[in-house]
PDB file of all heavy atoms in Angstrom:
ATOM      1  N   GLY A  11     -27.289  34.021  16.501  1.00  0.00           N
ATOM      2  CA  GLY A  11     -28.101  35.143  16.191  1.00  0.00           C
ATOM      3  C   GLY A  11     -28.746  35.690  17.443  1.00  0.00           C
ATOM      4  O   GLY A  11     -29.214  34.943  18.277  1.00  0.00           O
ATOM      5  N   ALA A  12     -28.803  37.059  17.483  1.00  0.00           N
ATOM      6  CA  ALA A  12     -29.489  37.635  18.620  1.00  0.00           C
ATOM      7  C   ALA A  12     -29.698  39.110  18.259  1.00  0.00           C
ATOM      8  O   ALA A  12     -28.918  39.778  17.509  1.00  0.00           O
ATOM      9  CB  ALA A  12     -28.572  37.588  19.809  1.00  0.00           C
ATOM     10  N   VAL A  13     -30.591  39.703  19.010  1.00  0.00           N
ATOM     11  CA  VAL A  13     -30.774  41.172  18.804  1.00  0.00           C
ATOM     12  C   VAL A  13     -29.809  41.831  19.675  1.00  0.00           C
ATOM     13  O   VAL A  13     -29.612  41.482  20.845  1.00  0.00           O
ATOM     14  CB  VAL A  13     -32.287  41.492  19.286  1.00  0.00           C
ATOM     15  CG1 VAL A  13     -32.468  43.123  19.164  1.00  0.00           C
ATOM     16  CG2 VAL A  13     -33.325  40.858  18.439  1.00  0.00           C
ATOM     17  N   ARG A  14     -29.124  42.868  19.048  1.00  0.00           N
ATOM     18  CA  ARG A  14     -28.177  43.609  19.798  1.00  0.00           C
ATOM     19  C   ARG A  14     -28.726  45.043  19.982  1.00  0.00           C
ATOM     20  O   ARG A  14     -29.197  45.672  19.030  1.00  0.00           O
ATOM     21  CB  ARG A  14     -26.783  43.740  18.991  1.00  0.00           C
ATOM     22  CG  ARG A  14     -25.798  44.471  19.723  1.00  0.00           C
ATOM     23  CD  ARG A  14     -24.437  44.547  18.934  1.00  0.00           C
ATOM     24  NE  ARG A  14     -24.593  45.397  17.745  1.00  0.00           N
ATOM     25  CZ  ARG A  14     -24.349  46.683  17.777  1.00  0.00           C
ATOM     26  NH1 ARG A  14     -24.155  47.311  18.914  1.00  0.00           N
ATOM     27  NH2 ARG A  14     -24.538  47.483  16.565  1.00  0.00           N
ATOM     28  N   LEU A  15     -28.552  45.580  21.229  1.00  0.00           N
ATOM     29  CA  LEU A  15     -28.996  46.895  21.486  1.00  0.00           C
ATOM     30  C   LEU A  15     -27.905  47.932  21.218  1.00  0.00           C
ATOM     31  O   LEU A  15     -26.717  47.624  21.470  1.00  0.00           O
ATOM     32  CB  LEU A  15     -29.386  46.997  22.953  1.00  0.00           C
ATOM     33  CG  LEU A  15     -30.687  46.128  23.310  1.00  0.00           C
ATOM     34  CD1 LEU A  15     -30.933  46.317  24.859  1.00  0.00           C
ATOM     35  CD2 LEU A  15     -31.878  46.507  22.574  1.00  0.00           C
ATOM     36  N   GLY A  16     -28.253  49.077  20.555  1.00  0.00           N
ATOM     37  CA  GLY A  16     -27.265  50.087  20.302  1.00  0.00           C
ATOM     38  C   GLY A  16     -27.598  51.387  21.064  1.00  0.00           C
ATOM     39  O   GLY A  16     -28.044  51.317  22.210  1.00  0.00           O
ATOM     40  N   ALA A  17     -27.278  52.430  20.385  1.00  0.00           N
ATOM     41  CA  ALA A  17     -27.285  53.774  21.012  1.00  0.00           C
ATOM     42  C   ALA A  17     -28.748  54.170  21.321  1.00  0.00           C
ATOM     43  O   ALA A  17     -29.667  53.686  20.582  1.00  0.00           O
ATOM     44  CB  ALA A  17     -26.584  54.818  20.199  1.00  0.00           C
ATOM     45  N   MET A  18     -28.937  55.009  22.209  1.00  0.00           N
ATOM     46  CA  MET A  18     -30.300  55.544  22.573  1.00  0.00           C
ATOM     47  C   MET A  18     -30.782  56.489  21.498  1.00  0.00           C
ATOM     48  O   MET A  18     -29.998  57.409  21.104  1.00  0.00           O
ATOM     49  CB  MET A  18     -30.371  56.138  23.942  1.00  0.00           C
ATOM     50  CG  MET A  18     -31.734  56.304  24.456  1.00  0.00           C
ATOM     51  SD  MET A  18     -32.657  54.660  24.790  1.00  0.00           S
ATOM     52  CE  MET A  18     -31.629  54.001  26.147  1.00  0.00           C
ATOM     53  N   LEU A  19     -31.889  56.365  20.919  1.00  0.00           N
ATOM     54  CA  LEU A  19     -32.556  57.200  20.011  1.00  0.00           C
ATOM     55  C   LEU A  19     -33.188  58.389  20.614  1.00  0.00           C
ATOM     56  O   LEU A  19     -33.594  58.292  21.839  1.00  0.00           O
ATOM     57  CB  LEU A  19     -33.445  56.471  19.091  1.00  0.00           C
ATOM     58  CG  LEU A  19     -32.758  55.364  18.274  1.00  0.00           C
ATOM     59  CD1 LEU A  19     -33.864  54.547  17.543  1.00  0.00           C
ATOM     60  CD2 LEU A  19     -31.813  55.975  17.173  1.00  0.00           C
ATOM     61  N   PRO A  20     -33.489  59.454  19.785  1.00  0.00           N
ATOM     62  CA  PRO A  20     -34.346  60.644  20.458  1.00  0.00           C
ATOM     63  C   PRO A  20     -35.728  60.222  21.036  1.00  0.00           C
ATOM     64  O   PRO A  20     -36.240  60.760  21.857  1.00  0.00           O
ATOM     65  CB  PRO A  20     -34.478  61.639  19.261  1.00  0.00           C
ATOM     66  CG  PRO A  20     -33.177  61.296  18.440  1.00  0.00           C
ATOM     67  CD  PRO A  20     -32.986  59.832  18.520  1.00  0.00           C
ATOM     68  N   SER A  21     -36.191  59.115  20.400  1.00  0.00           N
ATOM     69  CA  SER A  21     -37.566  58.660  20.837  1.00  0.00           C
ATOM     70  C   SER A  21     -37.466  57.970  22.259  1.00  0.00           C
ATOM     71  O   SER A  21     -38.540  57.712  22.752  1.00  0.00           O
ATOM     72  CB  SER A  21     -38.064  57.577  19.845  1.00  0.00           C
ATOM     73  OG  SER A  21     -37.190  56.537  19.846  1.00  0.00           O
ATOM     74  N   GLY A  22     -36.288  57.818  22.717  1.00  0.00           N
ATOM     75  CA  GLY A  22     -36.086  57.151  24.041  1.00  0.00           C
ATOM     76  C   GLY A  22     -35.999  55.766  24.011  1.00  0.00           C
ATOM     77  O   GLY A  22     -35.895  55.202  25.120  1.00  0.00           O
ATOM     78  N   ARG A  23     -35.926  55.120  22.841  1.00  0.00           N
ATOM     79  CA  ARG A  23     -35.706  53.697  22.838  1.00  0.00           C
ATOM     80  C   ARG A  23     -34.345  53.456  22.197  1.00  0.00           C
ATOM     81  O   ARG A  23     -33.863  54.284  21.448  1.00  0.00           O
ATOM     82  CB  ARG A  23     -36.793  52.906  22.086  1.00  0.00           C
ATOM     83  CG  ARG A  23     -36.727  53.423  20.557  1.00  0.00           C
ATOM     84  CD  ARG A  23     -37.553  52.453  19.614  1.00  0.00           C
ATOM     85  NE  ARG A  23     -37.510  52.888  18.202  1.00  0.00           N
ATOM     86  CZ  ARG A  23     -36.563  52.334  17.509  1.00  0.00           C
ATOM     87  NH1 ARG A  23     -35.658  51.523  18.004  1.00  0.00           N
ATOM     88  NH2 ARG A  23     -36.511  52.789  16.179  1.00  0.00           N
ATOM     89  N   PRO A  24     -33.601  52.299  22.522  1.00  0.00           N
ATOM     90  CA  PRO A  24     -32.383  51.991  21.954  1.00  0.00           C
ATOM     91  C   PRO A  24     -32.526  51.501  20.504  1.00  0.00           C
ATOM     92  O   PRO A  24     -33.533  50.954  20.085  1.00  0.00           O
ATOM     93  CB  PRO A  24     -31.858  50.968  22.804  1.00  0.00           C
ATOM     94  CG  PRO A  24     -33.012  50.279  23.368  1.00  0.00           C
ATOM     95  CD  PRO A  24     -34.028  51.284  23.479  1.00  0.00           C
ATOM     96  N   GLU A  25     -31.480  51.757  19.721  1.00  0.00           N
ATOM     97  CA  GLU A  25     -31.447  50.992  18.401  1.00  0.00           C
ATOM     98  C   GLU A  25     -31.421  49.532  18.588  1.00  0.00           C
ATOM     99  O   GLU A  25     -30.793  49.018  19.681  1.00  0.00           O
ATOM    100  CB  GLU A  25     -30.195  51.362  17.628  1.00  0.00           C
ATOM    101  CG  GLU A  25     -30.070  52.916  17.177  1.00  0.00           C
ATOM    102  CD  GLU A  25     -28.871  53.134  16.443  1.00  0.00           C
ATOM    103  OE1 GLU A  25     -27.838  52.976  16.967  1.00  0.00           O
ATOM    104  OE2 GLU A  25     -28.886  53.595  15.292  1.00  0.00           O
ATOM    105  N   ALA A  26     -32.068  48.774  17.640  1.00  0.00           N
ATOM    106  CA  ALA A  26     -32.020  47.342  17.729  1.00  0.00           C
ATOM    107  C   ALA A  26     -31.466  46.836  16.410  1.00  0.00           C
ATOM    108  O   ALA A  26     -31.982  47.221  15.375  1.00  0.00           O
ATOM    109  CB  ALA A  26     -33.461  46.820  18.047  1.00  0.00           C
ATOM    110  N   PHE A  27     -30.511  45.970  16.446  1.00  0.00           N
ATOM    111  CA  PHE A  27     -29.861  45.368  15.381  1.00  0.00           C
ATOM    112  C   PHE A  27     -30.122  43.834  15.322  1.00  0.00           C
ATOM    113  O   PHE A  27     -29.915  43.224  16.414  1.00  0.00           O
ATOM    114  CB  PHE A  27     -28.369  45.668  15.377  1.00  0.00           C
ATOM    115  CG  PHE A  27     -27.967  47.041  15.315  1.00  0.00           C
ATOM    116  CD1 PHE A  27     -27.797  47.849  16.449  1.00  0.00           C
ATOM    117  CD2 PHE A  27     -27.718  47.660  14.127  1.00  0.00           C
ATOM    118  CE1 PHE A  27     -27.417  49.133  16.459  1.00  0.00           C
ATOM    119  CE2 PHE A  27     -27.382  49.054  13.977  1.00  0.00           C
ATOM    120  CZ  PHE A  27     -27.165  49.814  15.136  1.00  0.00           C
ATOM    121  N   ASN A  28     -30.362  43.326  14.123  1.00  0.00           N
ATOM    122  CA  ASN A  28     -30.402  41.870  13.930  1.00  0.00           C
ATOM    123  C   ASN A  28     -28.963  41.414  13.815  1.00  0.00           C
ATOM    124  O   ASN A  28     -28.473  41.814  12.724  1.00  0.00           O
ATOM    125  CB  ASN A  28     -31.239  41.532  12.815  1.00  0.00           C
ATOM    126  CG  ASN A  28     -31.580  39.998  12.722  1.00  0.00           C
ATOM    127  OD1 ASN A  28     -30.931  39.212  13.451  1.00  0.00           O
ATOM    128  ND2 ASN A  28     -32.389  39.631  11.770  1.00  0.00           N
ATOM    129  N   SER A  29     -28.316  40.670  14.686  1.00  0.00           N
ATOM    130  CA  SER A  29     -27.001  40.497  14.644  1.00  0.00           C
ATOM    131  C   SER A  29     -26.517  39.088  14.924  1.00  0.00           C
ATOM    132  O   SER A  29     -27.302  38.273  15.246  1.00  0.00           O
ATOM    133  CB  SER A  29     -26.350  41.348  15.825  1.00  0.00           C
ATOM    134  OG  SER A  29     -26.569  42.713  15.808  1.00  0.00           O
ATOM    135  N   LEU A  30     -25.362  38.933  14.542  1.00  0.00           N
ATOM    136  CA  LEU A  30     -24.524  37.625  14.908  1.00  0.00           C
ATOM    137  C   LEU A  30     -23.656  38.082  16.144  1.00  0.00           C
ATOM    138  O   LEU A  30     -22.995  39.071  15.997  1.00  0.00           O
ATOM    139  CB  LEU A  30     -23.688  37.158  13.781  1.00  0.00           C
ATOM    140  CG  LEU A  30     -24.222  36.033  12.819  1.00  0.00           C
ATOM    141  CD1 LEU A  30     -23.411  35.974  11.589  1.00  0.00           C
ATOM    142  CD2 LEU A  30     -24.322  34.662  13.636  1.00  0.00           C
ATOM    143  N   ARG A  31     -23.666  37.189  17.113  1.00  0.00           N
ATOM    144  CA  ARG A  31     -22.870  37.497  18.406  1.00  0.00           C
ATOM    145  C   ARG A  31     -21.979  36.335  18.765  1.00  0.00           C
ATOM    146  O   ARG A  31     -22.437  35.164  18.458  1.00  0.00           O
ATOM    147  CB  ARG A  31     -23.802  37.978  19.416  1.00  0.00           C
ATOM    148  CG  ARG A  31     -24.873  38.949  19.053  1.00  0.00           C
ATOM    149  CD  ARG A  31     -25.384  39.800  20.234  1.00  0.00           C
ATOM    150  NE  ARG A  31     -24.395  40.786  20.676  1.00  0.00           N
ATOM    151  CZ  ARG A  31     -24.642  41.701  21.518  1.00  0.00           C
ATOM    152  NH1 ARG A  31     -25.764  41.682  22.148  1.00  0.00           N
ATOM    153  NH2 ARG A  31     -23.693  42.468  21.933  1.00  0.00           N
ATOM    154  N   ILE A  32     -20.872  36.592  19.357  1.00  0.00           N
ATOM    155  CA  ILE A  32     -19.958  35.574  19.803  1.00  0.00           C
ATOM    156  C   ILE A  32     -19.947  35.614  21.387  1.00  0.00           C
ATOM    157  O   ILE A  32     -19.682  36.781  21.854  1.00  0.00           O
ATOM    158  CB  ILE A  32     -18.507  35.819  19.300  1.00  0.00           C
ATOM    159  CG1 ILE A  32     -18.532  35.696  17.785  1.00  0.00           C
ATOM    160  CG2 ILE A  32     -17.628  34.730  19.744  1.00  0.00           C
ATOM    161  CD1 ILE A  32     -17.159  36.004  17.089  1.00  0.00           C
ATOM    162  N   ILE A  33     -20.181  34.497  22.011  1.00  0.00           N
ATOM    163  CA  ILE A  33     -20.108  34.505  23.315  1.00  0.00           C
ATOM    164  C   ILE A  33     -19.097  33.530  23.859  1.00  0.00           C
ATOM    165  O   ILE A  33     -19.073  32.316  23.377  1.00  0.00           O
ATOM    166  CB  ILE A  33     -21.507  34.232  24.041  1.00  0.00           C
ATOM    167  CG1 ILE A  33     -22.536  35.208  23.654  1.00  0.00           C
ATOM    168  CG2 ILE A  33     -21.410  34.053  25.533  1.00  0.00           C
ATOM    169  CD1 ILE A  33     -24.016  34.889  23.981  1.00  0.00           C
ATOM    170  N   ASP A  34     -18.100  33.874  24.675  1.00  0.00           N
ATOM    171  CA  ASP A  34     -17.054  33.020  25.033  1.00  0.00           C
ATOM    172  C   ASP A  34     -17.405  32.171  26.211  1.00  0.00           C
ATOM    173  O   ASP A  34     -18.519  32.230  26.848  1.00  0.00           O
ATOM    174  CB  ASP A  34     -15.751  33.715  25.236  1.00  0.00           C
ATOM    175  CG  ASP A  34     -15.895  34.774  26.327  1.00  0.00           C
ATOM    176  OD1 ASP A  34     -16.661  34.601  27.227  1.00  0.00           O
ATOM    177  OD2 ASP A  34     -15.106  35.793  26.333  1.00  0.00           O
ATOM    178  N   SER A  35     -16.646  31.194  26.690  1.00  0.00           N
ATOM    179  CA  SER A  35     -16.784  30.402  27.714  1.00  0.00           C
ATOM    180  C   SER A  35     -16.865  31.085  29.037  1.00  0.00           C
ATOM    181  O   SER A  35     -17.185  30.352  30.070  1.00  0.00           O
ATOM    182  CB  SER A  35     -15.817  29.204  27.703  1.00  0.00           C
ATOM    183  OG  SER A  35     -14.536  29.760  27.854  1.00  0.00           O
ATOM    184  N   ASP A  36     -16.612  32.273  29.104  1.00  0.00           N
ATOM    185  CA  ASP A  36     -16.704  33.060  30.364  1.00  0.00           C
ATOM    186  C   ASP A  36     -18.047  33.806  30.325  1.00  0.00           C
ATOM    187  O   ASP A  36     -18.361  34.568  31.328  1.00  0.00           O
ATOM    188  CB  ASP A  36     -15.557  34.072  30.599  1.00  0.00           C
ATOM    189  CG  ASP A  36     -14.248  33.331  30.834  1.00  0.00           C
ATOM    190  OD1 ASP A  36     -14.219  32.331  31.493  1.00  0.00           O
ATOM    191  OD2 ASP A  36     -13.275  33.832  30.323  1.00  0.00           O
ATOM    192  N   GLY A  37     -18.875  33.698  29.347  1.00  0.00           N
ATOM    193  CA  GLY A  37     -20.159  34.439  29.167  1.00  0.00           C
ATOM    194  C   GLY A  37     -20.050  35.812  28.733  1.00  0.00           C
ATOM    195  O   GLY A  37     -20.867  36.546  28.712  1.00  0.00           O
ATOM    196  N   GLY A  38     -18.925  36.237  28.191  1.00  0.00           N
ATOM    197  CA  GLY A  38     -18.711  37.563  27.612  1.00  0.00           C
ATOM    198  C   GLY A  38     -18.890  37.569  26.226  1.00  0.00           C
ATOM    199  O   GLY A  38     -18.807  36.626  25.578  1.00  0.00           O
ATOM    200  N   PHE A  39     -19.180  38.957  25.745  1.00  0.00           N
ATOM    201  CA  PHE A  39     -19.294  39.106  24.311  1.00  0.00           C
ATOM    202  C   PHE A  39     -17.904  39.179  23.598  1.00  0.00           C
ATOM    203  O   PHE A  39     -17.103  40.042  24.020  1.00  0.00           O
ATOM    204  CB  PHE A  39     -20.100  40.352  24.028  1.00  0.00           C
ATOM    205  CG  PHE A  39     -21.529  40.213  24.470  1.00  0.00           C
ATOM    206  CD1 PHE A  39     -22.063  40.949  25.545  1.00  0.00           C
ATOM    207  CD2 PHE A  39     -22.431  39.344  23.843  1.00  0.00           C
ATOM    208  CE1 PHE A  39     -23.286  40.824  25.971  1.00  0.00           C
ATOM    209  CE2 PHE A  39     -23.716  39.219  24.191  1.00  0.00           C
ATOM    210  CZ  PHE A  39     -24.164  39.943  25.400  1.00  0.00           C
ATOM    211  N   ALA A  40     -17.572  38.462  22.569  1.00  0.00           N
ATOM    212  CA  ALA A  40     -16.376  38.429  21.915  1.00  0.00           C
ATOM    213  C   ALA A  40     -16.383  38.939  20.526  1.00  0.00           C
ATOM    214  O   ALA A  40     -15.405  38.977  19.774  1.00  0.00           O
ATOM    215  CB  ALA A  40     -15.750  37.028  21.957  1.00  0.00           C
ATOM    216  N   GLY A  41     -17.553  39.389  20.061  1.00  0.00           N
ATOM    217  CA  GLY A  41     -17.564  39.938  18.687  1.00  0.00           C
ATOM    218  C   GLY A  41     -19.016  40.035  18.199  1.00  0.00           C
ATOM    219  O   GLY A  41     -19.961  39.348  18.767  1.00  0.00           O
ATOM    220  N   ASP A  42     -19.317  41.018  17.317  1.00  0.00           N
ATOM    221  CA  ASP A  42     -20.684  41.202  16.736  1.00  0.00           C
ATOM    222  C   ASP A  42     -20.624  41.574  15.274  1.00  0.00           C
ATOM    223  O   ASP A  42     -19.560  42.097  14.717  1.00  0.00           O
ATOM    224  CB  ASP A  42     -21.304  42.412  17.460  1.00  0.00           C
ATOM    225  CG  ASP A  42     -21.447  42.202  18.886  1.00  0.00           C
ATOM    226  OD1 ASP A  42     -22.228  41.292  19.326  1.00  0.00           O
ATOM    227  OD2 ASP A  42     -20.894  43.049  19.676  1.00  0.00           O
ATOM    228  N   ALA A  43     -21.663  41.118  14.508  1.00  0.00           N
ATOM    229  CA  ALA A  43     -21.762  41.548  13.207  1.00  0.00           C
ATOM    230  C   ALA A  43     -23.318  41.795  13.016  1.00  0.00           C
ATOM    231  O   ALA A  43     -24.114  40.999  13.173  1.00  0.00           O
ATOM    232  CB  ALA A  43     -21.346  40.467  12.250  1.00  0.00           C
ATOM    233  N   ASP A  44     -23.623  42.952  12.501  1.00  0.00           N
ATOM    234  CA  ASP A  44     -25.000  43.440  12.298  1.00  0.00           C
ATOM    235  C   ASP A  44     -25.443  43.191  10.858  1.00  0.00           C
ATOM    236  O   ASP A  44     -24.716  43.269   9.912  1.00  0.00           O
ATOM    237  CB  ASP A  44     -25.213  44.847  12.505  1.00  0.00           C
ATOM    238  CG  ASP A  44     -24.799  45.266  14.029  1.00  0.00           C
ATOM    239  OD1 ASP A  44     -24.977  44.425  14.931  1.00  0.00           O
ATOM    240  OD2 ASP A  44     -24.244  46.388  14.259  1.00  0.00           O
ATOM    241  N   LYS A  45     -26.741  42.797  10.800  1.00  0.00           N
ATOM    242  CA  LYS A  45     -27.335  42.606   9.454  1.00  0.00           C
ATOM    243  C   LYS A  45     -27.549  43.919   8.759  1.00  0.00           C
ATOM    244  O   LYS A  45     -27.913  44.906   9.256  1.00  0.00           O
ATOM    245  CB  LYS A  45     -28.763  42.048   9.593  1.00  0.00           C
ATOM    246  CG  LYS A  45     -29.481  41.580   8.275  1.00  0.00           C
ATOM    247  CD  LYS A  45     -30.834  40.870   8.605  1.00  0.00           C
ATOM    248  CE  LYS A  45     -31.418  40.423   7.343  1.00  0.00           C
ATOM    249  NZ  LYS A  45     -32.696  39.718   7.520  1.00  0.00           N
ATOM    250  N   VAL A  46     -27.071  43.930   7.418  1.00  0.00           N
ATOM    251  CA  VAL A  46     -26.998  45.152   6.681  1.00  0.00           C
ATOM    252  C   VAL A  46     -28.243  45.302   5.759  1.00  0.00           C
ATOM    253  O   VAL A  46     -28.807  46.399   5.647  1.00  0.00           O
ATOM    254  CB  VAL A  46     -25.696  45.219   5.839  1.00  0.00           C
ATOM    255  CG1 VAL A  46     -25.683  46.406   4.878  1.00  0.00           C
ATOM    256  CG2 VAL A  46     -24.525  45.112   6.656  1.00  0.00           C
ATOM    257  N   HIS A  47     -28.612  44.174   5.151  1.00  0.00           N
ATOM    258  CA  HIS A  47     -29.776  44.184   4.182  1.00  0.00           C
ATOM    259  C   HIS A  47     -30.960  43.535   4.937  1.00  0.00           C
ATOM    260  O   HIS A  47     -31.177  42.424   5.008  1.00  0.00           O
ATOM    261  CB  HIS A  47     -29.366  43.354   2.966  1.00  0.00           C
ATOM    262  CG  HIS A  47     -30.137  43.586   1.833  1.00  0.00           C
ATOM    263  ND1 HIS A  47     -29.521  43.568   0.542  1.00  0.00           N
ATOM    264  CD2 HIS A  47     -31.372  44.012   1.549  1.00  0.00           C
ATOM    265  CE1 HIS A  47     -30.434  43.875  -0.356  1.00  0.00           C
ATOM    266  NE2 HIS A  47     -31.525  44.174   0.220  1.00  0.00           N
ATOM    267  N   LEU A  48     -31.858  44.560   5.433  1.00  0.00           N
ATOM    268  CA  LEU A  48     -32.945  44.188   6.169  1.00  0.00           C
ATOM    269  C   LEU A  48     -34.168  43.857   5.259  1.00  0.00           C
ATOM    270  O   LEU A  48     -34.168  44.244   4.093  1.00  0.00           O
ATOM    271  CB  LEU A  48     -33.463  45.232   7.169  1.00  0.00           C
ATOM    272  CG  LEU A  48     -32.351  45.802   8.190  1.00  0.00           C
ATOM    273  CD1 LEU A  48     -32.926  46.973   9.002  1.00  0.00           C
ATOM    274  CD2 LEU A  48     -32.111  44.590   9.114  1.00  0.00           C
ATOM    275  N   VAL A  49     -35.105  43.055   5.789  1.00  0.00           N
ATOM    276  CA  VAL A  49     -36.233  42.602   4.992  1.00  0.00           C
ATOM    277  C   VAL A  49     -37.338  43.577   5.121  1.00  0.00           C
ATOM    278  O   VAL A  49     -37.955  43.842   6.271  1.00  0.00           O
ATOM    279  CB  VAL A  49     -36.859  41.267   5.437  1.00  0.00           C
ATOM    280  CG1 VAL A  49     -38.032  40.745   4.606  1.00  0.00           C
ATOM    281  CG2 VAL A  49     -35.755  40.124   5.472  1.00  0.00           C
ATOM    282  N   PRO A  50     -37.829  44.244   4.018  1.00  0.00           N
ATOM    283  CA  PRO A  50     -38.896  45.127   4.036  1.00  0.00           C
ATOM    284  C   PRO A  50     -40.090  44.587   4.602  1.00  0.00           C
ATOM    285  O   PRO A  50     -40.479  43.480   4.141  1.00  0.00           O
ATOM    286  CB  PRO A  50     -39.031  45.686   2.590  1.00  0.00           C
ATOM    287  CG  PRO A  50     -37.785  45.381   2.018  1.00  0.00           C
ATOM    288  CD  PRO A  50     -37.225  44.121   2.626  1.00  0.00           C
ATOM    289  N   PHE A  51     -40.912  45.148   5.355  1.00  0.00           N
ATOM    290  CA  PHE A  51     -42.180  44.818   6.067  1.00  0.00           C
ATOM    291  C   PHE A  51     -41.887  43.539   6.976  1.00  0.00           C
ATOM    292  O   PHE A  51     -42.867  43.174   7.710  1.00  0.00           O
ATOM    293  CB  PHE A  51     -43.137  44.331   4.933  1.00  0.00           C
ATOM    294  CG  PHE A  51     -43.472  45.499   4.004  1.00  0.00           C
ATOM    295  CD1 PHE A  51     -42.955  45.582   2.775  1.00  0.00           C
ATOM    296  CD2 PHE A  51     -44.326  46.560   4.344  1.00  0.00           C
ATOM    297  CE1 PHE A  51     -43.164  46.548   1.847  1.00  0.00           C
ATOM    298  CE2 PHE A  51     -44.669  47.584   3.512  1.00  0.00           C
ATOM    299  CZ  PHE A  51     -43.992  47.527   2.256  1.00  0.00           C
ATOM    300  N   GLY A  52     -40.790  42.925   6.924  1.00  0.00           N
ATOM    301  CA  GLY A  52     -40.510  41.921   8.030  1.00  0.00           C
ATOM    302  C   GLY A  52     -39.702  42.436   9.204  1.00  0.00           C
ATOM    303  O   GLY A  52     -40.101  42.203  10.400  1.00  0.00           O
TER     304      GLY A  52
END
């Protein structure tokens, strides 16, 4: 699990996704899956 940065928003900050990420043995990203059902107030 890790926060993934997305596209830049008009506010000047990037989107932030609560994600699952795959990192391979070379240190590269090999896949992502973003959380769809977020916790209100959390």
Side-chain angles (χ1 to χ4, degrees):
V13 177
R14 183 180 72 84
L15 297 178
M18 196 64 67
L19 297 171
S21 62
R23 66 168 184 85
E25 291 180 303
F27 297 89
N28 188 356
S29 301
L30 266 168
R31 314 203 72 177
I32 302 173
I33 302 175
D34 59 28
S35 55
D36 295 324
F39 295 107
D42 301 297
D44 300 325
K45 188 175 184 181
V46 175
H47 203 140
L48 299 178
V49 180
F51 303 100

